């Protein structure tokens, strides 16, 4: 049983791609906090996750006051909490303030945008994911402010990247269903990135995401998210997980610093509240 799938069944995702860039070094742009651009990308959305997928070349990403993260072709960098950030390549140059450009960017759609100083070429696609903030924090709280994942490490990731590149670069943008295809690809890309991130967490990692990867804890979390109204007990969860109550309690304390029942009473109280409002 897959706890991430169980959570994503309840979380309403609205994904799309909104920018297709081809920049030559040196270049730099500053993306504002997602709350600033959300009204243009997903009117009414209360939480927007922003990401950038490099399809060619190199770049770096950083929070406004953070350290640079090197990006290569096939990398996707995600800002799950919507922090303002900078993407750039080459010698230091003045950043373009995308807050001032967002209306124009959204209006032009995925028509290729070019800028830069004529050096090394970087191509990338920008996208977003809108989701319900109270429920999304069940798993988003375990993510750092920024992280990158390479989607070229397996066949499914390479297929996904190629599908996105083909769909974005189609010359006949008016073809029926094109926006729907890109929206679905955006959602798949987000989920695939989360799956890859969880799979590569270090063995010593703790927290909800690491617990979701653990066979016993992950199964119990999935059960609780699938049936939040069920009066779960340590005994019933241990039976489902196929371990003793003491082992299950110890594993929950290791990953989540709480027992299965306290987890059921805190995280899932929030889930019940959100589900009832949907």
């Amino acid at each position: 049983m897959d706890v991430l799938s169980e959570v994503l069944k309840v979380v309403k995702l609205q994904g799309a791609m909104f920018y297709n860039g081809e920049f030559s070094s040196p270049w730099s742009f500053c993306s504002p906090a997602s709350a600033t651009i959300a009204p243009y990308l997903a009117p009414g959305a209360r939480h927007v996750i922003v990401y950038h997928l490099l399809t060619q070349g190199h770049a770096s990403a950083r929070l406004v006051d953070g350290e640079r993260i090197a990006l290569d072709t096939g990398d996707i960098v995600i800002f799950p909490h919507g922090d303002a950030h900078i993407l750039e390549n080459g010698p230091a140059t003045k950043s373009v303030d995308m807050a001032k450009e967002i209306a124009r960017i959204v209006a032009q759609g995925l028509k290729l945008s070019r800028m830069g100083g004529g050096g090394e070429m970087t191509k990338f696609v920008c996208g977003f994911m809108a989701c319900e903030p109270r429920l999304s924090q069940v798993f988003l709280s375990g993510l750092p402010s920024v992280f990158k994942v390479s989607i070229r490490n397996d066949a499914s990731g390479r297929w996904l990247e190629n599908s996105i590149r083909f769909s974005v670069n189609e010359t006949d943008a008016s073809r029926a269903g094109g926006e729907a295809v890109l929206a679905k690809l955006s959602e798949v890309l987000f989920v695939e990135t989360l799956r890859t991130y969880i799979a590569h967490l270090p063995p010593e990692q703790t927290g909800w995401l690491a617990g979701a990867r653990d066979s016993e804890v992950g199964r119990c979390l999935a059960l609780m998210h699938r049936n939040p109204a069920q009066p779960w007990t340590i005994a019933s969860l241990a039976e489902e997980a196929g371990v003793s109550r003491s082992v299950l309690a110890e594993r929950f304390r290791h990953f989540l610093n709480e027992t299965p029942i306290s987890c059921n009473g805190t995280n899932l109280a929030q889930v019940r509240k959100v589900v009832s409002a949907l």
Side-chain angles (χ1 to χ4, degrees):
M1 191 174 297
D2 179 359
V3 60
L4 183 61
S5 295
E6 292 300 326
V7 171
L8 292 175
K9 287 177 184 177
V10 184
V11 178
K12 291 185 176 180
L13 299 177
Q14 176 192 349
M17 296 167 191
F18 67 93
Y19 192 68
N20 183 18
E22 183 178 286
F23 289 4
S24 57
S25 176
W27 59 269
S28 175
F29 74 77
C30 179
S31 179
S34 64
T36 301
I37 60 178
Y40 297 93
L41 301 177
R46 296 179 57 197
H47 185 74
V48 171
I49 300 162
V50 175
Y51 63 82
H52 311 283
L53 170 64
L54 262 70
T55 58
Q56 179 181 315
H58 308 278
S60 65
R62 61 183 172 92
L63 299 178
V64 173
D65 296 317
E67 296 182 358
R68 284 181 171 83
I69 298 173
L71 303 175
D72 296 313
T73 303
D75 284 346
I76 177 171
V77 59
I78 293 187
F79 299 85
H81 309 298
D83 295 274
H85 56 275
I86 294 173
L87 254 65
E88 56 195 352
N89 190 28
T93 186
K94 184 178 179 180
S95 294
V96 174
D97 185 356
M98 302 305 272
K100 298 178 180 179
E101 301 289 328
I102 189 63
R104 177 187 61 80
I105 288 171
V106 173
Q108 79 169 26
L110 289 171
K111 181 180 178 181
L112 185 63
S113 294
R114 294 183 172 92
M115 64 172 284
E120 179 188 27
M121 188 69 67
T122 304
K123 296 182 180 181
F124 55 91
V125 178
C126 303
F128 72 89
M129 190 65 54
C131 54
E132 211 292 333
R134 291 173 297 171
L135 188 56
S136 66
Q137 71 181 356
V138 170
F139 60 92
L140 290 184
S141 61
L143 294 171
S145 297
V146 52
F147 67 93
K148 75 170 183 177
V149 165
S150 176
I151 65 171
R152 285 193 169 181
N153 292 332
D154 55 52
S156 62
R158 291 189 293 273
W159 173 87
L160 183 56
E161 181 190 357
N162 288 334
S163 298
I164 290 170
R165 293 173 63 181
F166 173 79
S167 298
V168 167
N169 293 323
E170 273 193 301
T171 54
D172 185 7
S174 63
R175 198 165 98 180
E179 289 187 8
V181 169
L182 282 170
K184 292 300 182 184
L185 286 173
S186 179
E187 293 171 16
V188 173
L189 177 63
F190 176 68
V191 174
E192 186 67 21
T193 300
L194 282 181
R195 293 177 65 231
T196 303
Y197 178 82
I198 292 172
H200 289 87
L201 286 173
E204 66 276 11
Q205 184 76 35
T206 59
W208 193 92
L209 292 171
R213 183 181 60 179
D214 181 80
S215 57
E216 288 85 13
V217 174
R219 179 172 177 78
C220 290
L221 288 172
L223 285 167
M224 291 189 289
H225 282 289
R226 174 177 287 184
N227 301 297
Q230 177 80 11
W232 294 107
T233 64
I234 292 181
S236 62
L237 286 169
E239 182 178 0
E240 291 284 353
V243 296
S244 69
R245 288 176 289 179
S246 60
V247 168
L248 184 63
E250 188 279 328
R251 296 196 72 76
F252 263 80
R253 282 193 296 268
H254 171 74
F255 285 107
L256 303 173
N257 198 31
E258 57 184 338
T259 68
I261 303 310
S262 61
C263 177
N264 187 44
T266 54
N267 289 346
L268 295 183
Q270 181 183 40
V271 172
R272 294 187 190 102
K273 181 179 179 182
V274 176
V275 170
S276 64
L278 296 178

